Amino acid sequence: MAQIIVVTSGKGGVGKTTSSAAIATGLALKGHKTVVVDFDIGLRNLDLIMGCERRVVYDFVNVINGEANLNQALIKDKRTPNLFVLPASQTRDKDALTKEGVGRVLENLGKDFEYIICDSPAGIETGAMMALYFADTAIVTTNPEVSSVRDSDRILGMLQSKSKRAEEGLAPVNEYLLLTRYSPARVATGEMLSVADVEEILAIPLLGVIPESQAVLKASNSGIPVIIDQESDAGKAYSDAVARLTGEEVEMRFVNEEKKGFLKRIFGS
């Protein structure tokens, strides 16, 4: 049976779609048949980050409405075997998503895939609530700033009360924290919250810490998930997070400021 994982947040612009693309790619690279579904109806950014925007013919809403089947709408990733994308519609509004329709699509995907990654819009509007409703696992994505963490705490409340698991009295949704755009140097100067601060506020297990990195922007502009770039700290951090998600024990990197050696202090990097 497929594991449904929602990548969610309370605040926009924290890196959910980047994280969804990276995590889905990382799972596929480990040999797991994975599909990533864009729930951001009306905007549709996932296909850009995955580099498949020109190949979108049918979308999630077309499948819900019976205007296309999954085979027609799913896009096979060019780089990674076992990875598929189900894009969102740019021309419909979020009311096009219904519990019955979304549930039916996820059930059908579950017959063929090990992991279903749901790329949620920010906040608690229809698309976001649909994405988190069916989740088995939630990756709550936040930046180390007070407003982002506060809004993420609200999402945790929604997961614990509004999910299908909560409604049916099943085991609760597994919750993980993914901390993005983290800079130990800025933590040291008091410009952002530390990992410990965020963990204390949200009180959920830490899945990964993604450092601030130009590689993220470069990857997004190139249509290549940043996890592919294993020369970058961000790519390595996402690989670590995927390893933890699949049960491996991996040391948490990129949490502390790197101490520069004598030559680096003199000549720079």
Side-chain angles (χ1 to χ4, degrees):
M1 190 166 176
Q3 181 80 197
I4 300 175
I5 301 174
V6 62
V7 180
T8 184
S9 76
K11 190 172 183 289
V14 300
K16 281 183 309 302
T17 301
T18 293
S19 298
S20 296
I23 289 165
T25 301
L27 289 167
L29 287 170
K30 283 181 167 290
H32 301 289
K33 193 172 182 186
T34 303
V35 59
V36 55
V37 183
D38 191 347
F39 275 78
D40 205 353
I41 308 300
L43 291 178
R44 199 176 84 190
N45 289 317
L46 178 66
D47 54 303
L48 291 170
I49 288 180
M50 296 296 295
C52 63
E53 69 276 9
R54 293 186 185 89
R55 293 192 285 150
V56 176
V57 178
Y58 294 109
D59 57 54
F60 192 9
V61 175
N62 291 138
V63 178
I64 288 174
N65 291 342
E67 298 156 355
N69 61 43
L70 277 172
N71 284 335
Q72 292 174 291
L74 286 170
I75 300 170
K76 192 176 190 303
D77 188 73
K78 293 178 283 190
R79 293 169 296 266
T80 312
N82 296 320
L83 181 59
F84 292 78
V85 180
L86 182 57
S89 171
Q90 278 186 311
T91 58
R92 314 289 180 99
D93 61 35
K94 292 172 175 60
D95 292 333
L97 298 180
T98 63
K99 272 186 186 176
E100 295 76 17
V102 172
R104 187 173 61 251
V105 172
L106 293 178
E107 183 180 353
N108 287 331
L109 287 171
K111 297 172 185 175
D112 292 320
F113 291 93
E114 292 178 68
Y115 288 98
I116 301 170
I117 309 301
C118 302
D119 178 28
S120 170
I124 55 172
E125 43 79 8
T126 304
M129 295 306 293
M130 288 293 172
L132 69 79
Y133 180 75
F134 294 95
D136 299 310
T137 295
I139 298 173
V140 180
T141 310
T142 186
N143 292 158
E145 56 183 55
V146 172
S147 62
S148 181
V149 175
R150 180 196 62 198
D151 290 348
S152 292
D153 208 18
R154 188 177 186 197
I155 290 296
L156 290 172
M158 292 293 177
L159 284 163
Q160 291 157 11
S161 59
K162 297 278 191 180
S163 67
K164 187 170 186 282
R165 285 177 168 271
E167 279 185 7
E168 297 180 356
L170 302 173
V173 175
N174 294 314
E175 299 163 341
Y176 293 103
L177 167 64
L178 185 68
L179 193 55
T180 56
R181 296 179 184 160
Y182 191 74
S183 169
R186 293 176 65 191
V187 171
T189 59
E191 294 176 57
M192 63 173 53
L193 298 173
S194 69
V195 171
D197 292 333
V198 180
E199 285 185 294
E200 184 178 351
I201 295 166
L202 297 181
I204 57 175
L206 180 63
L207 184 67
V209 175
I210 313 300
E212 272 190 323
S213 172
Q214 287 298 314
V216 173
L217 180 59
K218 180 183 174 184
S220 296
N221 288 337
S222 304
I224 300 171
V226 69
I227 197 170
I228 300 276
D229 180 9
Q230 284 297 299
E231 296 297 314
S232 71
D233 286 351
K236 293 172 186 173
Y238 274 116
S239 290
D240 290 352
V242 170
R244 295 186 195 101
L245 188 61
T246 55
E248 296 179 42
E249 290 190 16
V250 181
E251 182 185 356
M252 197 68 67
R253 298 189 279 178
F254 314 113
V255 173
N256 300 312
E257 190 171 3
E258 182 185 351
K259 301 297 182 185
K260 290 187 177 180
F262 178 72
L263 293 176
K264 276 194 174 182
R265 288 201 303 272
I266 294 176
F267 297 110
S269 57

